[in-house]
């Protein structure tokens, strides 16, 4: 029997790349998003390219009822679901004194509570069928905290903490958890970013310079899922920073990170 997967924020960016990857591997695909046109177009492409079963459902991760409707529909269509990827996310960048509380509430509602709602709604289904798997998309920003990204960092760090909690809480129910922590890569998250135009240009440039694509990240997500890995850290520099933070005293780690940030600022000035 084909495995069944549901992906939030699945109509574009990393969500779209993961939909293609899992369809290629023979999974039945349900794409959830708020962009109906892009979602339906993607499902049409998946059916044509991979001859898989799939459908699109409008899904707003800010509303628990919206996710519950998806869960109910998956029970009708498939009798359940095997994998849920909590992928929908947004970004914001500002100094702590400049960022609005509205922006904080917006990013936490989507990046953190969107994942919480997804896990809350689908856990009963997983428990009833005695199996299931959550893949929660966080970020390296959830492990290494760069300046002027406080709301984004906090939201993604909380996703890492939530995922680690659920890894322990749900293991006796045969429910797996993987948390994905990518660094910059080419995606469309900058389009909805709440930030100054100058800051957007900087972050978009970092993404464009990345040697890793959304498709590469999707491959790593699938591989980590198959191996039941908890952390999937996708970039080499990210993995180095991840282990440095574990090994070094925190003040020494911060000193090294500060040096790297200043080195980047110097290059920017020369440009």
């Amino acid at each position: 029997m084909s495995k069944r997967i549901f992906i939030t924020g699945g109509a574009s960016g990393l969500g779209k790349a993961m939909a293609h990857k899992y369809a290629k591997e023979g999974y039945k695909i349900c794409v959830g998003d708020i962009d109906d046109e892009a979602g339906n177009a993607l499902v049409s492409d998946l059916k044509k390219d991979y001859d898989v079963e799939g459908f699109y459902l409008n899904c707003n991760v800010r509303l628990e009822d919206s996710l519950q409707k998806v869960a109910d529909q998956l029970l009708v269509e498939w009798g359940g679901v095997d994998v849920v990827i909590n992928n929908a996310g947004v970004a914001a960048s500002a100094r702590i004194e400049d960022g609005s509380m509205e922006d904080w509430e917006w990013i936490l509602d989507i990046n953190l509570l969107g994942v919480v709602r997804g896990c809350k709604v689908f856990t009963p289904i997983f428990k009833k069928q005695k199996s299931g798997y959550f893949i929660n998309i966080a970020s390296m920003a959830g492990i290494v905290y760069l300046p002027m990204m406080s709301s984004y960092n906090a939201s993604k760090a909380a996703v890492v903490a939530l995922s680690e909690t659920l890894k322990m809480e749900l293991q006796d129910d045969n429910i797996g958890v993987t948390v994905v922590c990518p660094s910059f890569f080419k995606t469309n998250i900058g389009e909805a970013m709440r930030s100054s135009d100058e800051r957007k240009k900087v972050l978009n440039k970092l993404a464009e310079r990345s040697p890793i694509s959304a498709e590469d990240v999707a491959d790593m997500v699938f591989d980590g899922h198959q191996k039941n890995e908890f952390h999937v850290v996708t970039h080499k520099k990210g993995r180095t920073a991840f282990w440095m933070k574990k090994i070094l005293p925190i003040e020494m780690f911060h000193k090294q990170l500060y040096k790297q940030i200043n080195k980047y600022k110097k290059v920017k000035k020369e440009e």
Side-chain angles (χ1 to χ4, degrees):
M1 185 179 79
S2 296
K3 293 281 189 175
R4 307 155 295 181
I5 190 167
F6 169 59
I7 306 170
T8 70
S12 62
L14 177 57
K16 181 177 180 179
M18 291 189 294
H20 274 278
K21 175 61 180 178
Y22 277 86
K24 184 178 179 181
E25 297 294 336
Y27 279 66
K28 296 178 180 179
I29 309 291
C30 177
V31 174
D33 208 287
I34 56 173
D35 188 336
D36 296 344
E37 183 178 353
N40 282 309
L42 172 58
V43 170
S44 178
D45 288 342
L46 296 177
K47 290 179 178 179
K48 180 178 66 177
D49 294 345
Y50 309 107
D51 191 28
V52 295
E53 181 181 333
F55 57 98
Y56 165 77
L57 293 174
N58 184 280
C59 178
N60 184 346
V61 299
R62 301 183 77 175
L63 303 172
E64 186 178 344
D65 284 351
S66 183
L67 282 155
Q68 188 61 59
K69 285 178 182 177
V70 170
D72 293 343
Q73 189 65 30
L74 290 177
L75 286 171
V76 171
E77 297 287 339
W78 291 342
V81 62
D82 300 296
V83 184
V84 171
I85 303 186
N86 291 301
N87 165 72
V90 291
S93 175
R95 294 185 181 278
I96 188 63
E97 69 272 23
D98 296 328
S100 69
M101 289 310 300
E102 181 186 356
D103 285 354
W104 270 91
E105 290 166 2
W106 170 73
I107 200 167
L108 290 172
D109 198 20
I110 297 171
N111 288 7
L112 171 58
L113 294 181
V115 177
V116 172
R117 293 180 189 108
C119 293
K120 182 177 185 295
V121 164
F122 284 96
T123 291
I125 294 175
F126 286 169
K127 285 186 174 181
K128 188 173 182 179
Q129 64 192 24
K130 299 182 180 179
S131 67
Y133 207 101
F134 287 117
I135 300 174
N136 297 331
I137 306 301
S139 167
M140 268 310 293
I143 298 172
V144 177
Y145 317 123
L146 298 180
M148 293 186 284
M149 297 287 291
S150 55
S151 61
Y152 185 74
N153 294 346
S155 71
K156 293 301 187 178
V159 170
V160 175
L162 170 68
S163 300
E164 188 163 347
T165 303
L166 296 182
K167 180 77 172 178
M168 299 296 104
E169 183 177 324
L170 300 176
Q171 62 181 345
D172 289 342
D173 297 294
N174 196 30
I175 300 171
V177 180
T178 288
V179 62
V180 183
C181 298
S183 300
F184 291 104
F185 65 96
K186 299 177 184 68
T187 185
N188 63 337
I189 195 169
E191 294 175 11
M193 179 184 289
R194 294 189 179 182
S195 179
S196 67
D197 289 341
E198 182 180 354
R199 185 67 176 160
K200 277 186 182 181
K201 286 179 183 177
V202 171
L203 295 175
N204 284 333
K205 187 172 287 187
L206 284 171
E208 285 300 316
R209 287 178 175 176
S210 173
I212 292 180
S213 67
E215 290 71 26
D216 295 327
V217 175
D219 287 344
M220 293 180 212
V221 170
F222 182 81
D223 187 53
H225 167 206
Q226 300 308 301
K227 294 176 180 176
N228 195 25
E229 294 177 351
F230 177 65
H231 284 112
V232 173
V233 182
T234 60
H235 292 56
K236 184 177 180 181
K237 287 184 178 179
R239 289 191 290 273
T240 300
F242 177 69
W243 285 108
M244 282 179 65
K245 189 172 184 181
K246 281 180 173 290
I247 295 167
L248 295 177
I250 194 65
E251 290 301 329
M252 189 179 295
F253 174 76
H254 285 160
K255 188 175 181 180
Q256 292 298 320
L257 184 61
Y258 189 69
K259 281 182 181 179
Q260 291 299 315
I261 292 169
N262 281 338
K263 189 184 295 184
Y264 171 73
K265 285 180 179 177
K266 185 178 180 181
V267 171
K268 280 297 300 173
K269 286 179 181 178
E270 290 173 354
E271 288 177 354

